[in-house]
Amino acid sequence: MSQIPDIEVLRYTAFSADPEGGNPAGVVLDASGLDEAAMLAVAAELGYSESAFLTGRGEPGGEETSGGAGSSGAREYTIRYFSPKAEVPFCGHATVATALALAERDGPGDLVFGTRAGTVPVTVTREGAELRATLTSVEPDVADIAPDDLAEALAALDWPAADLDPALPPRIAFAGARHLVLAAATRERLADLRYDFARLEALMHRLDLTTLQLVWRAAPAVFHVRAPFPVGGVVEDPATGAAAAAFGAYLRAEGLVPDTALLTLHQGEDMGRPGTLTVELRTDDARVRVSGTGTRIGD
């Protein structure tokens, strides 16, 4: 028997115009009457890696947009994200899904989401028959990982250290949530993902990680990525906007791409849910922009 409360739950996929691609998310445009237990129940029953809940709405040009975080006249909302197991501070694909749902209801334009991680502006534009959402991350940060923690992560993944790409060193990157970036030396290494769920989950809880960002560099500005998400009760995330933002910050911090760059991330292909994320870096802004299309999933 369904445990979902009597509310409207929309289903969207983000980072693909095909309902069978990208990363699906539940979207509740009016969650003002739901408590945490109810939101968690919705997310758990849907079973998607995350679902998004709008719990309140601000006034255009109000306090949430002060300091230049948003744009004048932007529609403001407070948003929360839940995986099937717990609340997460920020989720990129569910942000994109929510922005597209709002744009279909109210029209494209500028939005500002107040998240637990900080203020996240989003702009939705129409490109032909498709809508595209671009989120701007909170201020990012990149840090080293202790050798023992790296060894434990590789052991949980069953990845020999020799299979890593020495040109992309392991780091923990943040742009709203924390992600461990590990670069495979070959596409074959990235494709072979069979990990110890419980062991990796335990390490991620200890390090406060949301996902691992496993990457392979196909070209200077093109990457294939995968994102294990055991702390959310999900083996793998098909398209991960928060991790994409963190990865963009990592690449810039390590000097692996120019300060101004447009990057393409392919994710979900190994899961049969291909999606494309565009990551933009700007010299005059430490924040990272992540954009993609999406579409509603039929009931």
Side-chain angles (χ1 to χ4, degrees):
M1 181 176 178
S2 175
Q3 298 300 309
I4 293 181
D6 186 19
I7 55 170
E8 183 178 22
V9 182
L10 306 177
R11 295 164 173 81
Y12 276 76
T13 194
F15 302 115
S16 173
D18 181 353
E20 299 299 319
N23 198 352
V27 176
V28 178
L29 295 181
D30 183 6
S32 57
L34 302 183
D35 60 13
E36 291 185 5
M39 287 186 273
L40 182 59
V42 171
E45 182 150 329
L46 286 173
Y48 298 147
S49 55
E50 279 104 355
S51 293
F53 302 83
L54 296 182
T55 59
R57 182 168 183 178
E59 293 299 324
E63 291 183 1
E64 280 190 18
T65 59
S66 63
S71 59
S72 177
R75 292 168 281 169
E76 298 180 10
Y77 300 88
T78 302
I79 190 169
R80 297 177 71 175
Y81 311 96
F82 284 81
S83 77
K85 293 181 70 172
E87 185 172 9
V88 297
F90 175 65
C91 173
H93 86 272
T95 299
V96 167
T98 304
L100 295 175
L102 288 168
E104 288 191 344
R105 188 188 72 179
D106 303 327
D110 294 325
L111 306 164
V112 174
F113 291 122
T115 79
R116 281 180 50 199
T119 301
V120 177
V122 182
T123 298
V124 182
T125 58
R126 185 173 293 281
E127 299 179 357
E130 295 181 354
L131 292 169
R132 174 174 289 269
T134 300
L135 68 85
T136 300
S137 77
V138 300
E139 193 92 3
D141 181 66
V142 179
D144 292 335
I145 179 171
D148 288 350
D149 292 332
L150 174 59
E152 177 63 11
L154 294 175
L157 290 168
D158 195 22
W159 279 23
D163 285 357
L164 295 179
D165 183 349
L168 282 77
R171 296 286 187 268
I172 293 175
F174 168 87
R178 285 163 55 88
H179 309 267
L180 172 58
V181 178
L182 296 174
T186 65
R187 181 69 178 90
E188 291 73 22
R189 173 73 277 173
L190 184 69
D192 186 12
L193 183 61
R194 293 172 292 179
Y195 67 91
D196 186 324
F197 190 97
R199 187 173 183 177
L200 188 59
E201 180 184 18
L203 174 67
M204 291 174 69
H205 277 301
R206 182 163 60 80
L207 298 181
D208 191 28
L209 300 175
T210 297
T211 72
L212 268 62
Q213 181 79 330
L214 307 179
V215 309
W216 173 70
R217 193 170 201 169
V222 180
F223 298 83
H224 290 259
V225 302
R226 304 187 71 173
F229 186 33
V231 295
V234 176
V235 173
E236 183 178 357
D237 220 358
T240 320
F247 182 56
Y250 156 87
L251 291 171
R252 179 168 53 193
E254 295 297 318
L256 296 167
V257 295
D259 286 345
T260 296
L262 199 63
L263 314 171
T264 300
L265 275 57
H266 297 289
Q267 190 172 350
E269 292 181 357
D270 297 297
M271 301 176 63
R273 293 197 64 94
T276 303
L277 302 87
T278 301
V279 176
E280 182 184 2
L281 304 174
R282 298 183 181 179
T283 303
D284 60 350
D285 194 345
R287 300 173 301 172
V288 180
R289 288 160 176 80
V290 178
S291 64
T293 60
T295 190
R296 187 166 179 176
I297 301 171
D299 294 333

